[in-house]
Amino acid sequence: MNRRIFLLAGAGVTLAACGTSSAPQLGADGKPLPQVYRIGDPREVSFRFLDAMNTLRAAKSLQPVAFDASLNAAAETHSRDMSVQNRPWHFGSDGSSPLVRAQRSGFTGRLLGENISETYETELETLSSWMAQPDTRVVIMDPLATKLGFAWFQEPGGKIWWTMLTGA
């Protein structure tokens, strides 16, 4: 009997040691350091973003947006180009503007706006960050918007370059 108790206690101690987790590392500001967000299924990322954006728009009685293949292509091109340039800005390495990139991708509608970001955050955290700033929120909540282009490029180290375009 004592032998069984000893074995069970030993197994319990061993299992308890396996279950311990280390506390998250903290930055100088006392907040947890960000974890690298690895993008899994690209379709899930895109549709999570679309659903979240349309939920925000619906709360303000705005019409939903739908993906536009041309705007998606322009967004993808720009996300990769920002990574190559290693800076988030609205101009391509060839000097192209968001309007020129949309036209090059075959978009024939009216381009309304572009949001960009360089981050390690998820698509929903990025959307939240854009909503927190008046100049990027207005692109998301534009009442004229009916079309959406959304894409990203993730570097091997985990940094993500997000691009969002709206059009009508």
Side-chain angles (χ1 to χ4, degrees), residues 101-116:
R101 289 191 303 276
Q103 290 171 341
R104 283 181 190 163
S105 295
F107 185 65
T108 57
R110 180 175 170 211
L111 184 68
L112 298 173
E114 177 182 70
N115 286 340
I116 58 172

Side-chain angles (χ1 to χ4, degrees), residues 1-136:
M1 180 73 167
N2 287 339
R3 185 179 206 181
R4 284 187 206 158
I5 292 173
F6 177 74
L7 289 174
L8 286 174
V13 169
T14 302
L15 288 174
C18 292
T20 61
S21 62
S22 59
Q25 290 184 318
L26 301 178
D29 60 359
K31 294 180 181 177
L33 292 174
Q35 300 293 315
V36 173
Y37 172 58
R38 293 285 176 197
I39 294 178
D41 184 349
R43 291 178 44 91
E44 286 181 15
V45 171
S46 295
F47 285 105
R48 258 194 311 269
F49 184 89
L50 178 67
D51 289 345
M53 182 170 166
N54 281 332
T55 298
L56 292 168
R57 290 176 60 83
K60 296 293 184 181
S61 301
L62 298 172
Q63 63 186 333
V65 294
F67 284 127
D68 179 272
S70 299
L71 290 179
N72 282 341
E76 184 173 356
T77 299
H78 192 56
S79 292
R80 287 181 180 274
D81 191 43
M82 286 190 297
S83 173
V84 169
Q85 297 179 72
N86 196 32
R87 64 178 171 177
W89 74 323
H90 294 282
F91 294 96
S93 56
D94 62 355
S96 61
S97 68
L99 178 60
V100 167
R101 289 191 303 276
Q103 290 171 341
R104 283 181 190 163
S105 295
F107 185 65
T108 57
R110 180 175 170 211
L111 184 68
L112 298 173
E114 177 182 70
N115 286 340
I116 58 172
S117 182
E118 166 198 18
T119 183
Y120 290 88
E121 296 178 335
T122 70
E123 65 280 1
L124 298 180
E125 290 170 318
T126 300
L127 178 60
S128 178
S129 294
W130 285 337
M131 284 297 290
Q133 299 299 319
D135 60 331
T136 50

